Amino acid sequence: MADPRLKLYQFLMWKRHSIRTAVNREEHELRYLFFEVSRRCNIHCRYCGSGCTLAERQGEMSAKEWIDIIDQLAEDYDPSRVMIAVTGGEPLFKEGIYDIFKHLDEKGFPYGMVTNSTLLTPEAAKKLVECGIDSISLSLDSIPEINDSIRGKGTAAAAVKAIKNLRDAGYKGILEALSTITKPCMDHLEEMQAWLTELGLTRWRVSPVIPIGRAAENKDLLLNDEDIEKLLLFVRRQRRNQKAELRLEFSEEGYLGDRFEGLVRPYLCQCRAGINVGGIRYDGKIGACPEISQTFDQGDIHEARFSKIWNERFQAYRDRSWTRKLGPCRNCDKYNICHGGAMHLYENTETPTQRCFYKMIEK
């Protein structure tokens, strides 16, 4: 029989969470903003959700345009309260990227970037330190042989060199490994943890591969029900280890059930896309996370100020009642907790979520 005190605690926990999320939807204060500065990339990951290549996409904004956007944002928001996440493609492949970084720092925006590490030379590391970057996420999925089979030969070694270059340059900000977990990674989780610890990293974020872009074509990379449970058990076990030097965190996708909620990440289930999280694509289209379908884009920075679009649109993000009519959400007993899960799993408002971790685990 379940402990009635535990049941009461869980009831109150979710009640508070429900109130907080409702307030967030109502106030929709911008706290996190993606800059997808380019779709160009010098490597070819087998699972890339954006289908990045070396070719320049039509309409890619220049560094000068991004700097003008930064000026606009600094006029409309308190820069100290909005974290800018610079992503791509590969940000360091973007012409004028250090001008963008420097301007973010001058305007007072805390900012970071996600990088594949291959262009993070000693010179690049020195420039990043000079530009005052606060956070760097190195894309590194598994131990070298597995990582390189998925992301490209030499990408693991590049990450190791990048870590050394940053330390030699005196970098003091957040440095973490960001892993997209595919099927080949599953048998090497403990090895990966040991390797990252040996490299001196203290933060590791893991995200199950999303079935979009190239991953949808390479189905051998996708995780099944047992893989998801195994991954969650691994993260829970490591987070309970108070002596662990490497702090592990699961992605924020969807409700995970009572066995894992509150135990595998430092927050309860949420998807803040369009609520506290916005995004500007490489061509000026405005949405939220870059991995969310373009059908959910809300406007264009060339046609209106970001703040105007943020305040007047995003209805599909902030009222997600449309998700309840679709797929596994239709009769789910946890819908009022999850509200349809992660937006990046929907193609549009007429299609169901592409997966539900809660249902997968329950199986």
Side-chain angles (χ1 to χ4, degrees):
M1 181 180 295
D3 184 340
R5 291 173 298 180
L6 177 60
K7 293 186 69 174
L8 177 61
Y9 169 78
Q10 291 177 332
F11 171 79
L12 294 175
M13 176 183 74
W14 287 113
K15 185 68 174 177
R16 289 194 297 270
H17 179 67
S18 177
I19 293 171
R20 284 196 299 269
T21 53
V23 170
N24 280 338
R25 287 194 299 272
E26 179 66 26
E27 296 180 350
H28 53 263
E29 179 187 5
L30 181 68
R31 299 302 304 275
Y32 199 91
L33 182 60
F34 284 97
F35 276 15
E36 185 192 50
V37 293
S38 177
R39 282 282 180 92
R40 288 176 291 152
C41 187
N42 59 325
I43 66 173
H44 190 87
C45 298
R46 290 187 62 210
Y47 58 75
C48 181
S50 301
C52 297
T53 67
L54 283 169
E56 183 171 344
R57 300 289 182 95
Q58 184 176 0
E60 180 174 314
M61 293 192 294
S62 67
K64 174 62 168 61
E65 289 176 284
W66 283 106
I67 288 171
D68 290 342
I69 290 170
I70 294 167
D71 288 337
Q72 179 193 127
L73 293 168
E75 292 174 3
D76 295 348
Y77 296 95
D78 176 356
S80 68
R81 293 183 62 80
V82 183
M83 175 71 183
I84 306 294
V86 181
T87 184
E90 169 52 45
L92 296 181
F93 204 59
K94 174 73 175 176
E95 297 86 353
I97 189 62
Y98 298 106
D99 295 329
I100 295 172
F101 288 160
K102 183 179 179 181
H103 205 63
L104 283 168
D105 186 55
E106 290 173 345
K107 289 296 181 178
F109 287 99
Y111 77 96
M113 73 166 176
V114 180
T115 177
N116 65 33
S117 302
T118 59
L119 302 178
L120 218 165
T121 62
E123 295 74 21
K126 183 179 178 181
K127 288 181 181 179
L128 289 171
V129 171
E130 292 172 349
C131 290
I133 194 167
D134 301 284
S135 172
I136 299 175
S137 300
L138 305 176
S139 295
L140 190 59
D141 295 342
S142 188
I143 59 174
E145 61 200 78
I146 303 300
N147 180 85
D148 287 11
S149 70
I150 301 168
R151 298 181 55 80
K153 186 176 180 180
T155 51
V160 175
K161 289 181 181 177
I163 293 170
K164 181 181 185 303
N165 293 340
L166 287 166
R167 288 175 177 154
D168 289 347
Y171 176 67
K172 302 297 183 184
I174 293 171
L175 182 60
E176 65 176 3
L178 181 60
S179 298
T180 297
I181 304 299
T182 55
K183 188 77 170 179
C185 301
M186 288 302 300
D187 290 333
H188 305 279
L189 296 173
E190 288 81 5
E191 294 173 79
M192 180 64 169
Q193 180 191 22
W195 184 45
L196 293 178
T197 302
E198 182 182 326
L199 290 174
L201 295 182
T202 58
R203 297 167 65 110
W204 182 23
R205 281 195 293 147
V206 298
S207 302
V209 63
I210 304 171
I212 61 176
R214 292 187 195 128
E217 301 167 3
N218 295 297
K219 297 188 181 300
D220 60 305
L221 299 179
L222 303 181
L223 305 185
N224 60 27
D225 302 355
E226 291 76 15
D227 293 328
I228 294 297
E229 182 177 42
K230 178 181 177 181
L231 179 59
L232 286 166
L233 287 169
F234 171 76
V235 176
R236 187 181 70 179
R237 183 168 64 250
Q238 300 310 318
R239 286 182 65 85
R240 283 176 169 172
N241 181 5
Q242 297 299 317
K243 296 181 180 179
E245 299 174 45
L246 182 68
R247 191 61 173 168
L248 183 55
E249 181 181 321
F250 192 74
S251 66
E252 61 184 41
E253 181 184 317
Y255 175 68
L256 304 174
D258 291 339
R259 281 195 295 157
F260 301 109
E261 280 296 341
L263 299 174
V264 297
R265 50 198 176 194
Y267 46 80
L268 297 174
C269 72
Q270 58 180 310
C271 174
R272 299 184 298 126
I275 298 172
N276 302 116
V277 177
I280 303 174
R281 297 191 190 273
Y282 72 95
D283 57 358
K285 297 293 190 302
I286 293 173
C289 305
E291 292 175 326
I292 293 176
S293 168
Q294 295 180 10
T295 60
F296 290 103
D297 287 351
Q298 300 295 301
D300 192 314
I301 195 71
H302 299 104
E303 299 172 1
R305 295 180 78 87
F306 176 89
S307 58
K308 180 177 177 62
I309 294 172
W310 178 259
N311 289 326
E312 296 180 0
R313 303 183 193 177
F314 284 87
Q315 288 83 1
Y317 288 87
R318 295 165 191 166
D319 178 4
R320 301 186 188 177
S321 56
W322 55 270
T323 61
R324 189 153 204 174
K325 306 171 185 177
L326 307 168
C329 296
R330 187 180 293 113
N331 299 309
C332 183
D333 61 333
K334 300 297 183 181
Y335 182 83
N336 289 333
I337 290 174
C338 185
H339 297 284
M343 288 287 290
H344 62 243
L345 293 173
Y346 293 90
E347 179 59 34
N348 53 57
T349 58
E350 303 296 326
T351 56
T353 180
Q354 297 186 58
R355 70 179 174 203
C356 171
F357 287 155
Y358 173 55
K359 298 294 185 182
M360 294 173 75
I361 296 165
E362 286 295 297
K363 288 182 183 179

